[in-house]
Amino acid sequence: MTTLSFSKDKIRILLLEGIHENAVASLARQGYTNVERLPGALDAAALKEAIAGVHMVGIRSRTKLTADVLDAAERLMCVGCFCIGTNQVDLATARAKGVPVFNAPYSNTRSVAELVVAEIIMLSRGIPEKSAKAHRGQWLKTATDSHEVRGKTLGIIGYGHIGSQLSVLAEGLGMRVIYVDIEEKLPLGNAQVRPDLPTLLGESDFVSLHVPATAQTANMFGAAEIAAMKPGAHLINASRGNVVVIEPLAEALRSGHLGGAAVDVFPSEPATLDDEFVSPLRGMDNVILSPHVGGSTQEAQANIGTEVAEKLIRYSDNGSTIGAVNFAEVALPPHRDVTRFLHIHRNVPGVLSSINEIFSTRRINISGQFLQTDGEMGYVVVDVDAPIEAGMGIRKALEAIDGTVRVRFLS
Ligand code: NAI
């Protein structure tokens, strides 16, 4: 009898849009060598053809994995978005087909934090204005309103991955760091939490926003918050474009209430590189404008390559779905000396007992079981310590359970 086994070179992987070499290297290190790489995105028809028979697909933001394309991917096991956003994938359809989608939300944390540090120093010295004037032939050689950042106060709104990384870097420059967050967060170094936003704004020479896009953060920084900032203070937004209301910001910069600003994200951003960037902040010498590049570095791309490839490998090798954006998250121990069955199903009553019955009627001992349900879908992982051989009918029996979407086994 042949023992059931899982051969990695049979796993077909398609990587589109010039995904970083690190992804290929990570996959190869773990034995996944059946990789096809394409430099660009494909249109729907070409994509449907290319994705047929593929087990894992890696994309960036330009590949649209619609329901139609996913229907053509009958073998697809998981999707890696080698970027932050995942709205190019029909996540609900992928989920209903039992296909977890992974991304890399934190690979560019450091890149954003470094840009903000640079902007704090530039704003503190009035460099945006001095540079703009020099380009126009003016020589603004003065120390007026030019300051070191050492000893100044940085107020961070949102002390998550980026906010806390910024906190460490800013303290390295000798800044005093205070923050607010809706969650209780451990202060790093000598940073101190403040009880509310007005308190933070009243103390900060620099205010930097690092909150996510939520209903609560939409337009959270408007005329009242800007007015509550110290005269001459600086505002930095590299979070989301709709967090700051732009008109009152432009007005405070014109009136001199604020000393300057650095803005990387905007309520309305050009859809393509050829579209014009339109903003009331254009033409203001005391404002650093950047085209949503806070996280865009070669190092972040390399980190993304590794991070997403590792999530795909972990799912394929051991069934863990940690980091999936559309799927019940299950962290699984390694499955040495056991066979692991993965059962993805619609969340209907009776599935778990049917699974257990399949093993108990064959007198197979279950050594570990993990269950996670997530609304409509359920994910059960069963470890058994008996040798499993072809012909036992386990796979067929699992597939026959009502509500089953997909069955995999790893040995
Ligand atoms: P994160 O999820 O690690 O941290 C966000 C923090 O904000 C959390 O601690 C959360 O509790 C807190 N928070 C949520 N609502 C809040 C509120 N109303 N008031 C105060 N705190 C609140 O996210 P991460 O990775 O630090 O990213 C932060 C932002 O940066 C996100 O909006 C992300 O989209 C953006 N970003 C921008 C990039 C760029 O290119 N400019 C690149 C990467 C991220």
Side-chain angles (χ1 to χ4, degrees), residues 106 108 112 157-163 180-183 185 210-213 216-217 220 238-240 264-265 292-295:
Y106 304 121
N108 56 11
V112 181
I157 304 173
Y159 203 70
H161 286 79
I162 298 172
V180 290
D181 199 294
I182 50 167
E183 305 285 344
K185 294 281 171 160
H210 298 289
V211 292
Q216 206 189 343
T217 61
M220 76 177 274
S239 62
R240 286 301 184 102
D264 187 49
V265 287
H292 202 148
V293 288

PDB file of all heavy atoms in Angstrom, residues 106 108 112 157-163 180-183 185 210-213 216-217 220 238-240 264-265 292-295, ligand 1:
ATOM      1  N   TYR A 106       2.721  44.724   7.894  1.00  0.00           N
ATOM      2  CA  TYR A 106       3.699  45.434   8.729  1.00  0.00           C
ATOM      3  C   TYR A 106       5.125  45.440   8.181  1.00  0.00           C
ATOM      4  O   TYR A 106       6.049  45.795   8.886  1.00  0.00           O
ATOM      5  CB  TYR A 106       3.672  44.853  10.152  1.00  0.00           C
ATOM      6  CG  TYR A 106       2.287  44.902  10.743  1.00  0.00           C
ATOM      7  CD1 TYR A 106       1.641  43.757  11.167  1.00  0.00           C
ATOM      8  CD2 TYR A 106       1.602  46.119  10.828  1.00  0.00           C
ATOM      9  CE1 TYR A 106       0.347  43.806  11.671  1.00  0.00           C
ATOM     10  CE2 TYR A 106       0.310  46.182  11.319  1.00  0.00           C
ATOM     11  CZ  TYR A 106      -0.307  45.022  11.736  1.00  0.00           C
ATOM     12  OH  TYR A 106      -1.574  45.088  12.221  1.00  0.00           O
ATOM     13  N   ASN A 108       6.424  47.394   6.051  1.00  0.00           N
ATOM     14  CA  ASN A 108       6.987  48.717   5.763  1.00  0.00           C
ATOM     15  C   ASN A 108       6.931  49.676   6.955  1.00  0.00           C
ATOM     16  O   ASN A 108       7.114  50.872   6.800  1.00  0.00           O
ATOM     17  CB  ASN A 108       6.306  49.329   4.534  1.00  0.00           C
ATOM     18  CG  ASN A 108       4.806  49.407   4.709  1.00  0.00           C
ATOM     19  OD1 ASN A 108       4.303  49.202   5.811  1.00  0.00           O
ATOM     20  ND2 ASN A 108       4.101  49.716   3.643  1.00  0.00           N
ATOM     21  N   VAL A 112       8.081  53.900   7.048  1.00  0.00           N
ATOM     22  CA  VAL A 112       7.223  55.047   7.380  1.00  0.00           C
ATOM     23  C   VAL A 112       7.842  55.820   8.549  1.00  0.00           C
ATOM     24  O   VAL A 112       7.956  57.055   8.515  1.00  0.00           O
ATOM     25  CB  VAL A 112       5.787  54.595   7.747  1.00  0.00           C
ATOM     26  CG1 VAL A 112       4.920  55.796   8.071  1.00  0.00           C
ATOM     27  CG2 VAL A 112       5.166  53.782   6.620  1.00  0.00           C
ATOM     28  N   ILE A 157      -0.277  60.017  17.693  1.00  0.00           N
ATOM     29  CA  ILE A 157      -1.681  59.593  17.788  1.00  0.00           C
ATOM     30  C   ILE A 157      -1.786  58.231  17.117  1.00  0.00           C
ATOM     31  O   ILE A 157      -1.639  58.124  15.905  1.00  0.00           O
ATOM     32  CB  ILE A 157      -2.600  60.630  17.114  1.00  0.00           C
ATOM     33  CG1 ILE A 157      -2.374  62.011  17.745  1.00  0.00           C
ATOM     34  CG2 ILE A 157      -4.063  60.207  17.237  1.00  0.00           C
ATOM     35  CD1 ILE A 157      -3.104  63.132  17.040  1.00  0.00           C
ATOM     36  N   GLY A 158      -1.994  57.191  17.908  1.00  0.00           N
ATOM     37  CA  GLY A 158      -2.008  55.813  17.400  1.00  0.00           C
ATOM     38  C   GLY A 158      -0.650  55.171  17.645  1.00  0.00           C
ATOM     39  O   GLY A 158       0.275  55.336  16.847  1.00  0.00           O
ATOM     40  N   TYR A 159      -0.522  54.453  18.771  1.00  0.00           N
ATOM     41  CA  TYR A 159       0.774  53.895  19.186  1.00  0.00           C
ATOM     42  C   TYR A 159       0.834  52.421  18.791  1.00  0.00           C
ATOM     43  O   TYR A 159       1.023  51.530  19.614  1.00  0.00           O
ATOM     44  CB  TYR A 159       0.912  54.080  20.696  1.00  0.00           C
ATOM     45  CG  TYR A 159       2.331  54.074  21.223  1.00  0.00           C
ATOM     46  CD1 TYR A 159       3.192  55.128  20.957  1.00  0.00           C
ATOM     47  CD2 TYR A 159       2.784  53.031  22.020  1.00  0.00           C
ATOM     48  CE1 TYR A 159       4.484  55.139  21.459  1.00  0.00           C
ATOM     49  CE2 TYR A 159       4.073  53.025  22.530  1.00  0.00           C
ATOM     50  CZ  TYR A 159       4.914  54.092  22.242  1.00  0.00           C
ATOM     51  OH  TYR A 159       6.196  54.109  22.747  1.00  0.00           O
ATOM     52  N   GLY A 160       0.624  52.165  17.476  1.00  0.00           N
ATOM     53  CA  GLY A 160       0.686  50.782  16.978  1.00  0.00           C
ATOM     54  C   GLY A 160       2.070  50.469  16.457  1.00  0.00           C
ATOM     55  O   GLY A 160       3.078  50.941  17.004  1.00  0.00           O
ATOM     56  N   HIS A 161       2.138  49.699  15.380  1.00  0.00           N
ATOM     57  CA  HIS A 161       3.433  49.291  14.834  1.00  0.00           C
ATOM     58  C   HIS A 161       4.282  50.507  14.454  1.00  0.00           C
ATOM     59  O   HIS A 161       5.431  50.613  14.840  1.00  0.00           O
ATOM     60  CB  HIS A 161       3.230  48.396  13.616  1.00  0.00           C
ATOM     61  CG  HIS A 161       2.768  47.019  13.979  1.00  0.00           C
ATOM     62  ND1 HIS A 161       1.456  46.745  14.295  1.00  0.00           N
ATOM     63  CD2 HIS A 161       3.442  45.858  14.109  1.00  0.00           C
ATOM     64  CE1 HIS A 161       1.358  45.462  14.587  1.00  0.00           C
ATOM     65  NE2 HIS A 161       2.532  44.898  14.478  1.00  0.00           N
ATOM     66  N   ILE A 162       3.686  51.419  13.662  1.00  0.00           N
ATOM     67  CA  ILE A 162       4.476  52.565  13.192  1.00  0.00           C
ATOM     68  C   ILE A 162       4.680  53.571  14.317  1.00  0.00           C
ATOM     69  O   ILE A 162       5.797  54.048  14.543  1.00  0.00           O
ATOM     70  CB  ILE A 162       3.794  53.229  11.970  1.00  0.00           C
ATOM     71  CG1 ILE A 162       3.725  52.232  10.807  1.00  0.00           C
ATOM     72  CG2 ILE A 162       4.539  54.484  11.549  1.00  0.00           C
ATOM     73  CD1 ILE A 162       2.914  52.704   9.608  1.00  0.00           C
ATOM     74  N   GLY A 163       3.602  53.900  15.025  1.00  0.00           N
ATOM     75  CA  GLY A 163       3.698  54.896  16.098  1.00  0.00           C
ATOM     76  C   GLY A 163       4.761  54.512  17.122  1.00  0.00           C
ATOM     77  O   GLY A 163       5.571  55.363  17.543  1.00  0.00           O
ATOM     78  N   VAL A 180      -1.284  59.028  22.466  1.00  0.00           N
ATOM     79  CA  VAL A 180      -2.630  58.569  22.831  1.00  0.00           C
ATOM     80  C   VAL A 180      -2.973  57.388  21.935  1.00  0.00           C
ATOM     81  O   VAL A 180      -2.484  57.284  20.809  1.00  0.00           O
ATOM     82  CB  VAL A 180      -3.735  59.652  22.659  1.00  0.00           C
ATOM     83  CG1 VAL A 180      -3.604  60.753  23.681  1.00  0.00           C
ATOM     84  CG2 VAL A 180      -3.745  60.219  21.241  1.00  0.00           C
ATOM     85  N   ASP A 181      -3.807  56.500  22.445  1.00  0.00           N
ATOM     86  CA  ASP A 181      -4.275  55.345  21.674  1.00  0.00           C
ATOM     87  C   ASP A 181      -5.604  54.933  22.289  1.00  0.00           C
ATOM     88  O   ASP A 181      -5.846  55.172  23.475  1.00  0.00           O
ATOM     89  CB  ASP A 181      -3.261  54.191  21.762  1.00  0.00           C
ATOM     90  CG  ASP A 181      -3.451  53.178  20.636  1.00  0.00           C
ATOM     91  OD1 ASP A 181      -4.503  52.495  20.608  1.00  0.00           O
ATOM     92  OD2 ASP A 181      -2.570  53.067  19.774  1.00  0.00           O
ATOM     93  N   ILE A 182      -6.464  54.320  21.512  1.00  0.00           N
ATOM     94  CA  ILE A 182      -7.739  53.859  22.084  1.00  0.00           C
ATOM     95  C   ILE A 182      -7.553  52.558  22.868  1.00  0.00           C
ATOM     96  O   ILE A 182      -8.394  52.187  23.660  1.00  0.00           O
ATOM     97  CB  ILE A 182      -8.848  53.666  21.015  1.00  0.00           C
ATOM     98  CG1 ILE A 182      -8.339  52.827  19.840  1.00  0.00           C
ATOM     99  CG2 ILE A 182      -9.399  55.001  20.544  1.00  0.00           C
ATOM    100  CD1 ILE A 182      -9.436  52.352  18.926  1.00  0.00           C
ATOM    101  N   GLU A 183      -6.439  51.876  22.616  1.00  0.00           N
ATOM    102  CA  GLU A 183      -6.122  50.656  23.383  1.00  0.00           C
ATOM    103  C   GLU A 183      -5.043  50.992  24.403  1.00  0.00           C
ATOM    104  O   GLU A 183      -4.283  51.936  24.209  1.00  0.00           O
ATOM    105  CB  GLU A 183      -5.560  49.567  22.454  1.00  0.00           C
ATOM    106  CG  GLU A 183      -6.411  49.199  21.280  1.00  0.00           C
ATOM    107  CD  GLU A 183      -7.599  48.344  21.677  1.00  0.00           C
ATOM    108  OE1 GLU A 183      -7.584  47.806  22.800  1.00  0.00           O
ATOM    109  OE2 GLU A 183      -8.530  48.229  20.857  1.00  0.00           O
ATOM    110  N   LYS A 185      -1.564  50.623  25.599  1.00  0.00           N
ATOM    111  CA  LYS A 185      -0.332  50.201  24.918  1.00  0.00           C
ATOM    112  C   LYS A 185       0.847  50.364  25.872  1.00  0.00           C
ATOM    113  O   LYS A 185       0.930  51.372  26.591  1.00  0.00           O
ATOM    114  CB  LYS A 185      -0.091  51.071  23.679  1.00  0.00           C
ATOM    115  CG  LYS A 185      -1.136  50.892  22.605  1.00  0.00           C
ATOM    116  CD  LYS A 185      -0.882  49.637  21.818  1.00  0.00           C
ATOM    117  CE  LYS A 185      -2.021  49.330  20.883  1.00  0.00           C
ATOM    118  NZ  LYS A 185      -1.630  48.441  19.807  1.00  0.00           N
ATOM    119  N   HIS A 210      -0.851  58.181  13.343  1.00  0.00           N
ATOM    120  CA  HIS A 210      -0.563  56.794  12.906  1.00  0.00           C
ATOM    121  C   HIS A 210      -1.718  55.861  13.233  1.00  0.00           C
ATOM    122  O   HIS A 210      -1.523  54.763  13.748  1.00  0.00           O
ATOM    123  CB  HIS A 210       0.761  56.332  13.528  1.00  0.00           C
ATOM    124  CG  HIS A 210       1.890  57.177  13.069  1.00  0.00           C
ATOM    125  ND1 HIS A 210       2.376  57.114  11.781  1.00  0.00           N
ATOM    126  CD2 HIS A 210       2.551  58.193  13.680  1.00  0.00           C
ATOM    127  CE1 HIS A 210       3.311  58.030  11.633  1.00  0.00           C
ATOM    128  NE2 HIS A 210       3.435  58.704  12.757  1.00  0.00           N
ATOM    129  N   VAL A 211      -2.926  56.341  12.923  1.00  0.00           N
ATOM    130  CA  VAL A 211      -4.133  55.548  13.206  1.00  0.00           C
ATOM    131  C   VAL A 211      -4.564  54.804  11.936  1.00  0.00           C
ATOM    132  O   VAL A 211      -4.202  55.196  10.831  1.00  0.00           O
ATOM    133  CB  VAL A 211      -5.291  56.461  13.686  1.00  0.00           C
ATOM    134  CG1 VAL A 211      -4.981  57.038  15.050  1.00  0.00           C
ATOM    135  CG2 VAL A 211      -5.576  57.570  12.674  1.00  0.00           C
ATOM    136  N   PRO A 212      -5.327  53.734  12.081  1.00  0.00           N
ATOM    137  CA  PRO A 212      -5.833  53.038  10.885  1.00  0.00           C
ATOM    138  C   PRO A 212      -7.064  53.743  10.333  1.00  0.00           C
ATOM    139  O   PRO A 212      -7.606  54.650  10.978  1.00  0.00           O
ATOM    140  CB  PRO A 212      -6.214  51.661  11.429  1.00  0.00           C
ATOM    141  CG  PRO A 212      -6.547  51.902  12.867  1.00  0.00           C
ATOM    142  CD  PRO A 212      -5.740  53.084  13.332  1.00  0.00           C
ATOM    143  N   ALA A 213      -7.517  53.309   9.154  1.00  0.00           N
ATOM    144  CA  ALA A 213      -8.751  53.850   8.587  1.00  0.00           C
ATOM    145  C   ALA A 213      -9.923  53.130   9.228  1.00  0.00           C
ATOM    146  O   ALA A 213     -10.126  51.939   8.989  1.00  0.00           O
ATOM    147  CB  ALA A 213      -8.753  53.628   7.079  1.00  0.00           C
ATOM    148  N   GLN A 216     -14.225  55.687  13.060  1.00  0.00           N
ATOM    149  CA  GLN A 216     -13.884  56.640  14.116  1.00  0.00           C
ATOM    150  C   GLN A 216     -12.752  57.597  13.717  1.00  0.00           C
ATOM    151  O   GLN A 216     -12.686  58.726  14.201  1.00  0.00           O
ATOM    152  CB  GLN A 216     -13.445  55.819  15.327  1.00  0.00           C
ATOM    153  CG  GLN A 216     -13.652  56.505  16.647  1.00  0.00           C
ATOM    154  CD  GLN A 216     -12.986  55.688  17.758  1.00  0.00           C
ATOM    155  OE1 GLN A 216     -12.653  54.511  17.601  1.00  0.00           O
ATOM    156  NE2 GLN A 216     -12.820  56.335  18.896  1.00  0.00           N
ATOM    157  N   THR A 217     -11.856  57.144  12.839  1.00  0.00           N
ATOM    158  CA  THR A 217     -10.718  58.013  12.489  1.00  0.00           C
ATOM    159  C   THR A 217     -10.996  58.879  11.251  1.00  0.00           C
ATOM    160  O   THR A 217     -10.207  59.770  10.955  1.00  0.00           O
ATOM    161  CB  THR A 217      -9.427  57.189  12.240  1.00  0.00           C
ATOM    162  OG1 THR A 217      -9.653  56.299  11.146  1.00  0.00           O
ATOM    163  CG2 THR A 217      -9.007  56.424  13.474  1.00  0.00           C
ATOM    164  N   MET A 220     -11.052  62.636  11.841  1.00  0.00           N
ATOM    165  CA  MET A 220     -10.874  62.815  13.290  1.00  0.00           C
ATOM    166  C   MET A 220     -10.041  64.059  13.615  1.00  0.00           C
ATOM    167  O   MET A 220     -10.101  64.589  14.715  1.00  0.00           O
ATOM    168  CB  MET A 220     -10.230  61.575  13.928  1.00  0.00           C
ATOM    169  CG  MET A 220      -8.743  61.423  13.696  1.00  0.00           C
ATOM    170  SD  MET A 220      -8.051  59.985  14.566  1.00  0.00           S
ATOM    171  CE  MET A 220      -7.718  60.689  16.175  1.00  0.00           C
ATOM    172  N   ALA A 238       1.040  60.608   7.804  1.00  0.00           N
ATOM    173  CA  ALA A 238       1.426  59.543   6.863  1.00  0.00           C
ATOM    174  C   ALA A 238       0.553  58.327   7.145  1.00  0.00           C
ATOM    175  O   ALA A 238       0.978  57.200   6.938  1.00  0.00           O
ATOM    176  CB  ALA A 238       2.902  59.202   7.017  1.00  0.00           C
ATOM    177  N   SER A 239      -0.690  58.593   7.645  1.00  0.00           N
ATOM    178  CA  SER A 239      -1.557  57.441   7.967  1.00  0.00           C
ATOM    179  C   SER A 239      -2.546  57.207   6.826  1.00  0.00           C
ATOM    180  O   SER A 239      -2.235  56.505   5.869  1.00  0.00           O
ATOM    181  CB  SER A 239      -2.261  57.635   9.309  1.00  0.00           C
ATOM    182  OG  SER A 239      -3.114  58.764   9.297  1.00  0.00           O
ATOM    183  N   ARG A 240      -3.697  57.831   6.885  1.00  0.00           N
ATOM    184  CA  ARG A 240      -4.688  57.714   5.821  1.00  0.00           C
ATOM    185  C   ARG A 240      -5.179  59.101   5.450  1.00  0.00           C
ATOM    186  O   ARG A 240      -5.277  59.981   6.310  1.00  0.00           O
ATOM    187  CB  ARG A 240      -5.878  56.859   6.286  1.00  0.00           C
ATOM    188  CG  ARG A 240      -5.571  55.373   6.351  1.00  0.00           C
ATOM    189  CD  ARG A 240      -5.150  54.859   4.980  1.00  0.00           C
ATOM    190  NE  ARG A 240      -4.939  53.423   5.008  1.00  0.00           N
ATOM    191  CZ  ARG A 240      -5.807  52.535   4.538  1.00  0.00           C
ATOM    192  NH1 ARG A 240      -6.918  52.931   3.975  1.00  0.00           N
ATOM    193  NH2 ARG A 240      -5.544  51.255   4.609  1.00  0.00           N
ATOM    194  N   ASP A 264       1.629  62.902   3.462  1.00  0.00           N
ATOM    195  CA  ASP A 264       1.958  61.828   2.507  1.00  0.00           C
ATOM    196  C   ASP A 264       0.697  61.202   1.916  1.00  0.00           C
ATOM    197  O   ASP A 264       0.762  60.527   0.891  1.00  0.00           O
ATOM    198  CB  ASP A 264       2.763  60.750   3.247  1.00  0.00           C
ATOM    199  CG  ASP A 264       3.311  59.670   2.321  1.00  0.00           C
ATOM    200  OD1 ASP A 264       3.919  60.026   1.293  1.00  0.00           O
ATOM    201  OD2 ASP A 264       3.136  58.471   2.619  1.00  0.00           O
ATOM    202  N   VAL A 265      -0.435  61.416   2.574  1.00  0.00           N
ATOM    203  CA  VAL A 265      -1.687  60.750   2.171  1.00  0.00           C
ATOM    204  C   VAL A 265      -2.795  61.799   2.109  1.00  0.00           C
ATOM    205  O   VAL A 265      -2.829  62.725   2.927  1.00  0.00           O
ATOM    206  CB  VAL A 265      -2.045  59.639   3.188  1.00  0.00           C
ATOM    207  CG1 VAL A 265      -1.115  58.448   3.037  1.00  0.00           C
ATOM    208  CG2 VAL A 265      -2.001  60.154   4.613  1.00  0.00           C
ATOM    209  N   HIS A 292       2.241  59.561  -1.307  1.00  0.00           N
ATOM    210  CA  HIS A 292       1.897  58.290  -0.631  1.00  0.00           C
ATOM    211  C   HIS A 292       3.038  57.265  -0.773  1.00  0.00           C
ATOM    212  O   HIS A 292       2.831  56.149  -1.259  1.00  0.00           O
ATOM    213  CB  HIS A 292       0.583  57.715  -1.190  1.00  0.00           C
ATOM    214  CG  HIS A 292      -0.082  56.768  -0.227  1.00  0.00           C
ATOM    215  ND1 HIS A 292      -1.430  56.612  -0.130  1.00  0.00           N
ATOM    216  CD2 HIS A 292       0.447  55.905   0.692  1.00  0.00           C
ATOM    217  CE1 HIS A 292      -1.720  55.716   0.788  1.00  0.00           C
ATOM    218  NE2 HIS A 292      -0.589  55.265   1.312  1.00  0.00           N
ATOM    219  N   VAL A 293       4.207  57.699  -0.358  1.00  0.00           N
ATOM    220  CA  VAL A 293       5.389  56.826  -0.488  1.00  0.00           C
ATOM    221  C   VAL A 293       5.989  56.467   0.880  1.00  0.00           C
ATOM    222  O   VAL A 293       7.110  55.965   0.946  1.00  0.00           O
ATOM    223  CB  VAL A 293       6.485  57.498  -1.368  1.00  0.00           C
ATOM    224  CG1 VAL A 293       6.063  57.525  -2.823  1.00  0.00           C
ATOM    225  CG2 VAL A 293       6.823  58.898  -0.851  1.00  0.00           C
ATOM    226  N   GLY A 294       5.228  56.749   1.954  1.00  0.00           N
ATOM    227  CA  GLY A 294       5.774  56.498   3.298  1.00  0.00           C
ATOM    228  C   GLY A 294       6.356  55.103   3.438  1.00  0.00           C
ATOM    229  O   GLY A 294       7.406  54.910   4.049  1.00  0.00           O
ATOM    230  N   GLY A 295       5.668  54.113   2.865  1.00  0.00           N
ATOM    231  CA  GLY A 295       6.121  52.731   3.031  1.00  0.00           C
ATOM    232  C   GLY A 295       6.847  52.189   1.818  1.00  0.00           C
ATOM    233  O   GLY A 295       7.167  50.998   1.772  1.00  0.00           O
TER     234      GLY A 295
HETATM  235  P1  NAI B   1      -1.437  49.486  13.684  1.00  0.00           P
HETATM  236  O1  NAI B   1      -2.740  48.822  13.559  1.00  0.00           O
HETATM  237  O2  NAI B   1      -0.254  48.713  14.129  1.00  0.00           O
HETATM  238  O3  NAI B   1      -1.582  50.734  14.702  1.00  0.00           O
HETATM  239  C1  NAI B   1      -2.665  51.613  14.721  1.00  0.00           C
HETATM  240  C2  NAI B   1      -2.851  52.088  16.159  1.00  0.00           C
HETATM  241  O4  NAI B   1      -3.845  53.104  16.179  1.00  0.00           O
HETATM  242  C3  NAI B   1      -3.341  50.975  17.085  1.00  0.00           C
HETATM  243  O5  NAI B   1      -2.533  50.958  18.242  1.00  0.00           O
HETATM  244  C4  NAI B   1      -4.782  51.387  17.400  1.00  0.00           C
HETATM  245  O6  NAI B   1      -5.200  50.956  18.675  1.00  0.00           O
HETATM  246  C5  NAI B   1      -4.686  52.888  17.306  1.00  0.00           C
HETATM  247  N1  NAI B   1      -5.958  53.568  17.077  1.00  0.00           N
HETATM  248  C6  NAI B   1      -7.029  53.125  16.362  1.00  0.00           C
HETATM  249  N2  NAI B   1      -8.005  54.060  16.379  1.00  0.00           N
HETATM  250  C7  NAI B   1      -7.527  55.101  17.103  1.00  0.00           C
HETATM  251  C8  NAI B   1      -8.077  56.353  17.479  1.00  0.00           C
HETATM  252  N3  NAI B   1      -9.311  56.737  17.082  1.00  0.00           N
HETATM  253  N4  NAI B   1      -7.325  57.163  18.255  1.00  0.00           N
HETATM  254  C9  NAI B   1      -6.075  56.783  18.670  1.00  0.00           C
HETATM  255  N5  NAI B   1      -5.522  55.604  18.346  1.00  0.00           N
HETATM  256  C10 NAI B   1      -6.233  54.781  17.567  1.00  0.00           C
HETATM  257  O7  NAI B   1      -1.163  50.199  12.285  1.00  0.00           O
HETATM  258  P2  NAI B   1       0.235  50.677  11.695  1.00  0.00           P
HETATM  259  O8  NAI B   1       0.865  49.583  10.931  1.00  0.00           O
HETATM  260  O9  NAI B   1       1.001  51.359  12.748  1.00  0.00           O
HETATM  261  O10 NAI B   1      -0.278  51.723  10.590  1.00  0.00           O
HETATM  262  C11 NAI B   1      -0.853  52.968  10.964  1.00  0.00           C
HETATM  263  C12 NAI B   1      -1.379  53.693   9.743  1.00  0.00           C
HETATM  264  O11 NAI B   1      -0.332  53.925   8.799  1.00  0.00           O
HETATM  265  C13 NAI B   1      -2.477  52.950   8.975  1.00  0.00           C
HETATM  266  O12 NAI B   1      -3.495  53.884   8.663  1.00  0.00           O
HETATM  267  C14 NAI B   1      -1.808  52.552   7.691  1.00  0.00           C
HETATM  268  O13 NAI B   1      -2.750  52.488   6.634  1.00  0.00           O
HETATM  269  C15 NAI B   1      -0.832  53.679   7.489  1.00  0.00           C
HETATM  270  N6  NAI B   1       0.295  53.350   6.606  1.00  0.00           N
HETATM  271  C16 NAI B   1       0.690  54.283   5.683  1.00  0.00           C
HETATM  272  C17 NAI B   1       1.732  54.024   4.816  1.00  0.00           C
HETATM  273  C18 NAI B   1       2.190  55.051   3.845  1.00  0.00           C
HETATM  274  O14 NAI B   1       2.731  54.697   2.786  1.00  0.00           O
HETATM  275  N7  NAI B   1       2.027  56.311   4.132  1.00  0.00           N
HETATM  276  C19 NAI B   1       2.416  52.732   4.830  1.00  0.00           C
HETATM  277  C20 NAI B   1       1.987  51.847   5.902  1.00  0.00           C
HETATM  278  C21 NAI B   1       0.940  52.155   6.728  1.00  0.00           C
END
